[in-house]
Amino acid sequence: MNIEMLNGVGPKSALLFKKIGIFTVEDLLEYYPYRYNFINLINFFDIPENEVVYLKVKVAREAKVMYIKRNFNTLSFTAIVNDININVKIFNRGYLKQNIIVGKYLVLVGKYDKLRNTFIANDIRFDGVENKIEGIYHLTDGINNNFLYKTINKVLTDDYLIKDELPEYLNKKYKLIKKCDAINLIHNPKSQNDIDKAKVKLIYDEFFNYTFKINLLKINNKKELGIKHNFNKELVNEFLSELPFKLTEDQLTTIHEVLNDLEKESRMNRLIMGDVGSGKTIVAAVGILANFYSGYQSTFMAPTEILANQHLDTITNLFKDLGLKISILTGSLTKKKKELIYESVKNGEIDLLIGTHALINDNLSFKNLGLVITDEQHLFGVNQRNALQNKGKVLKPDVLYLSATPIPRTYALTIYGDLDLSMIRTKPKMRLDIITKVKSEKEITDVLYKMLEEIKLGHQIFVVSPLIDNNETDLKSVYLLLEKLNLAFKSKVNIGVIHGKMKQKEKDEIMNNFHKGIIKILISTTVIEVGIDIPNATMMVIFNAERFGLATLHQLRGRVGRNDIQSYCYLISEKDNDRLKVMEESSDGFYISEKDFEQRGQGNLFGIEQSGELLFKIADIKRDSKILISASNDSKEFIITNMYKDYEYYKNLEKEILFLD
Ligand code: ADP
Ligand code: MG
C-alpha cells in the first residue's frame, strides 16, 4: 500500500518520506529505530552529578529569553520539583517561550548543577513523557521523530496485516516470535528483552530472504550447462607474451581462472574485484579473445557512455591485427545506426559489441553469444544480475563481472555468494601511489598553494564538497566554495560546478568542458558519476572529509592518478583526522575497505547506500554473523529439498530472481 493512502500523510509528507526511502506502508513499518533512549524519570534527590537525566517539573514562573548575540540566546525560568525551586536554562530555544506555561508539567532532559541549583537542559519535552523506551529514527528535514513514530503506530493500531512469510518450522526451530509481534516490539519495546527478541526475528528473516535468493542463483548456476569453450591456447599465450608490460601475479592468476571457467562445461559466473587501475580490462580482454577463438561473440557493458568509448579505444588497440570486428552500441546513436548494429550482431558479423545499458534491449539478439562482461563501478544488486545473461537464448553465455569497489572478503562472500570471486590486489608497478594528506581548515593555504602549482603545470583538479541532504542550503555551500576559490585564484582560473540538481544536459556540458580541459577545477558533490577518466587530473581535494567512509574516500581518490604523473589527494577535515590517516598510509582498496568495515560497519561501504536493495535494514553481516550462517544453511536446505515450492511467496521470489515467466 502506498504511503499516501495513510490518513495524516499528505502529498508533502509523502515526498519527505520518499526521501528517506519510505514509499509504501511496508517500508514504513520496516523503518526501524537505529537506537533507543531509555527514559527513566528521576527522583530529584537521586540526581547524580554530571549525568543526563529526565526530570519532571512544574513551571513556577514565566520564561525569559536573553539574546546574547546573533544566533545565540538563552531561555531561563523557575520550576518546582519536590517543593523546591530550581533554575532552568536552555540555549538557543528562545522560540519555546510561549510553551513554558506557569502551572504546567514538563520533562527536562539534561544535567543538574547542584552548586548553582541550575538545570542545564538540552531538551524540554511537553508531551507527557512516561518511563519508557523511545526509539530514535534517522530523520530528514520536515519529519521529526515524534511524527514518524506516531505515523508508524497509527498503522500498527489500525491492525494492518503483517504477514509472516518465514516457514513455520523455522520459526519453531529458533523459537522466533511472529513477524507482527517483532515489528510491534521493535517500535514499542517495554524492555531490552523486547528489543532483543524482535531483532533476532527480523535479522533472521532478512538474512533468510537474502540468502534464499543468493543460494537459489548459485544452485541454479551450478546446474546450468554453459558453453564449453574450445580455443587454441597457443594463440592466447602468444597474445599475452606480446603485451608491452609484464602481467602482475594476481592478473595471471585471474586470467588462469577465467580461461579455466571458459573451458568448463558449467557456466562461468565470476566476479573480478580490483581497484581502479589494477588492470582488470586486460583480463576481460583475454576472456574476449579466448571466446572469439572458440567461435563466439562477446559483449561488454560499461556503466557510462564515456567509459564504453574508453573500452572501445583500449580494446581496439589491444586487438590490432587479430581480426576481431568490434562495434559500440550506446543510447546516443541514431535509430538507424542502432538498427544497423542489431542487424550485424544478429548475422554474426560483429565479434565484440561494447556498450552501455542500451545493450539491455529486446531488439538486440546475438547469433552466438558466448561471453557477457559487465563493468560496473558500483555494487550491483542480486535482482539485476541476470538481465543480460538471458540474451543467450539457447546456449547460456559465460558471465564475468568487473568491480572497482574492493570490499572485505567476508562481506563479498555474502552479498556475492552466488558468484566465484577473483581479487586483483597487487597493482602494476609503474603506477605511482597518490600522495595523500589530511589537512585542517587552518592549513587551507597549503592546499590552495598546491592547487595553484598543479594548475600552472597545466593539470586539472577535482574538488568535492559533500551534501548531506542535497537541499538548497547545502547547495549554497557548494556555490560559496566556488566564490572562495574564485577569490583565492583572483578569477583567473576557470572553475566549474556540477551537482545532482542540474539537468542532465547541463551536467554533460560541464563534464565535456572538463574533459576537454576548458574547465580547470571542477567542484562537485558526490552525486556525479564515478567512472569518469580525466588523465590530466592530478589532484583531488575533498572538503568535510570526515563525512565520508574510508572506502568512499578511496573511490573518490581513484579519479586521479590515472597516468604516470604524480597525483595528490588532500582531505580537509576538522575532526576525525586519526581515522582519516589510514588514507595517508595505504593505497590498497581492500585494506582500506576492511578498515572501514571495522570502523563503521557494512552500511557505509561505498555504493551500498545507493543501491537500497543491498542494504540490510536491521541485520549486520559482521555483528550478526552467526545468524547469517544459520539462515544461509537453512535457506540452502529449503531450496535443495524443494520445500520452497510449497510457498507462494518464495516461488514468486524465484520467478523474480531467475526471470521466469
Ligand atoms: P582497471 O580496469 O582495473 O581500472 P585497466 O585495465 O584500465 O585498469 O588498467 C589501467 C592501466 O594499466 C592501463 O593503461 C593498462 O594498459 C595498464 N596495465 C594493466 N596491467 C598492467 C601491468 N601488468 N603492467 C603495467 N601496466 C598495466
Ligand atoms: Mg576498467
Side-chain angles (χ1 to χ4, degrees), residues 138-411:
H138 285 297
L139 303 168
T140 184
D141 275 353
I143 292 190
N144 65 31
N145 212 65
N146 200 32
F147 176 63
L148 190 61
Y149 173 77
K150 288 222 163 111
T151 315
I152 291 171
N153 263 33
K154 206 175 161 329
V155 178
L156 287 173
T157 48
D158 275 357
D159 279 333
Y160 180 81
L161 190 67
I162 299 170
K163 266 176 108 177
D164 194 337
E165 305 290 359
L166 192 72
E168 193 45 37
Y169 76 94
L170 289 170
N171 273 327
K172 282 220 178 82
K173 181 173 173 184
Y174 298 104
K175 300 197 176 64
L176 299 173
I177 61 175
K178 283 258 134 220
K179 174 102 178 235
C180 57
D181 296 333
I183 298 260
N184 216 330
L185 288 179
I186 203 86
H187 294 294
N188 297 294
K190 299 262 181 303
S191 64
Q192 181 63 47
N193 187 37
D194 282 353
I195 300 175
D196 295 343
K197 275 191 302 191
K199 271 192 173 167
V200 171
K201 164 68 178 170
L202 298 172
I203 291 168
Y204 182 89
D205 277 19
E206 203 163 35
F207 277 149
F208 185 83
N209 279 355
Y210 192 82
T211 58
F212 174 79
K213 294 189 207 171
I214 291 281
N215 285 326
L216 200 65
L217 273 176
K218 185 178 196 166
I219 289 166
N220 205 61
N221 290 343
K222 290 273 178 272
K223 271 196 306 217
E224 239 173 11
L225 282 193
I227 299 165
K228 197 171 154 125
H229 285 81
N230 192 349
F231 52 91
N232 186 336
K233 282 199 196 106
E234 298 283 302
L235 287 176
V236 175
N237 281 331
E238 200 173 300
F239 170 76
L240 289 176
S241 66
E242 278 166 15
L243 287 173
F245 44 73
K246 200 165 160 280
L247 292 164
T248 64
E249 194 99 345
D250 287 352
Q251 278 175 316
L252 282 170
T253 311
T254 306
I255 287 175
H256 183 75
E257 287 166 339
V258 169
L259 293 180
N260 235 345
D261 286 352
L262 285 171
E263 281 184 306
K264 272 195 276 186
E265 193 162 43
S266 57
R267 191 173 182 191
M268 166 161 74
N269 255 295
R270 182 170 292 280
L271 168 66
I272 302 177
M273 245 172 12
D275 266 323
V276 168
S278 59
K280 296 180 295 295
T281 316
I282 191 74
V283 178
V286 178
I288 292 167
L289 194 63
N291 183 54
F292 168 69
Y293 287 147
S294 315
Y296 293 97
Q297 294 170 294
S298 307
T299 182
F300 191 170
M301 185 165 80
T304 66
E305 198 149 338
I306 296 178
L307 275 171
N309 278 302
Q310 270 171 27
H311 285 322
L312 178 69
D313 285 351
T314 315
I315 291 177
T316 310
N317 212 7
L318 272 172
F319 289 163
K320 278 194 299 255
D321 315 325
L322 291 180
L324 269 86
K325 281 180 260 30
I326 308 176
S327 197
I328 186 164
L329 180 71
T330 60
S332 64
L333 293 185
T334 60
K335 197 165 169 235
K336 202 157 172 204
K337 279 204 178 132
K338 278 185 195 156
E339 267 156 15
L340 277 175
I341 290 178
Y342 295 150
E343 192 56 38
S344 42
V345 167
K346 203 171 178 177
N347 294 336
E349 285 161 33
I350 288 176
D351 302 306
L352 167 63
L353 183 64
I354 298 175
T356 56
H357 281 81
L359 291 170
I360 304 180
N361 183 314
D362 288 339
N363 293 324
L364 178 66
S365 65
F366 290 81
K367 184 171 178 218
N368 55 357
L369 183 62
L371 176 64
V372 173
I373 301 173
T374 316
D375 182 10
E376 279 290 344
Q377 233 61 22
H378 293 281
L379 301 171
F380 34 83
V382 60
N383 288 342
Q384 297 136 348
R385 273 179 219 158
N386 268 3
L388 243 194
Q389 308 173 11
N390 277 20
K391 292 275 176 201
K393 302 275 145 74
V394 190
L395 284 172
K396 299 280 185 186
D398 281 345
V399 186
L400 197 56
Y401 300 96
L402 311 182
S403 167
T405 310
I407 58 172
R409 200 176 178 88
T410 40
Y411 193 56

Side-chain angles (χ1 to χ4, degrees), residues 465 467 469-471 475 478-479 497-507 523-529:
S465 168
L467 301 187
D469 252 349
N470 202 16
N471 62 22
L475 274 183
V478 172
Y479 286 103
V497 169
I498 191 167
H499 58 73
K501 284 213 165 166
M502 286 176 163
K503 296 212 177 73
Q504 190 59 40
K505 232 175 137 184
E506 289 175 277
K507 284 196 266 188
I523 305 178
S524 71
T525 60
T526 34
V527 289
I528 63 156
E529 292 157 5

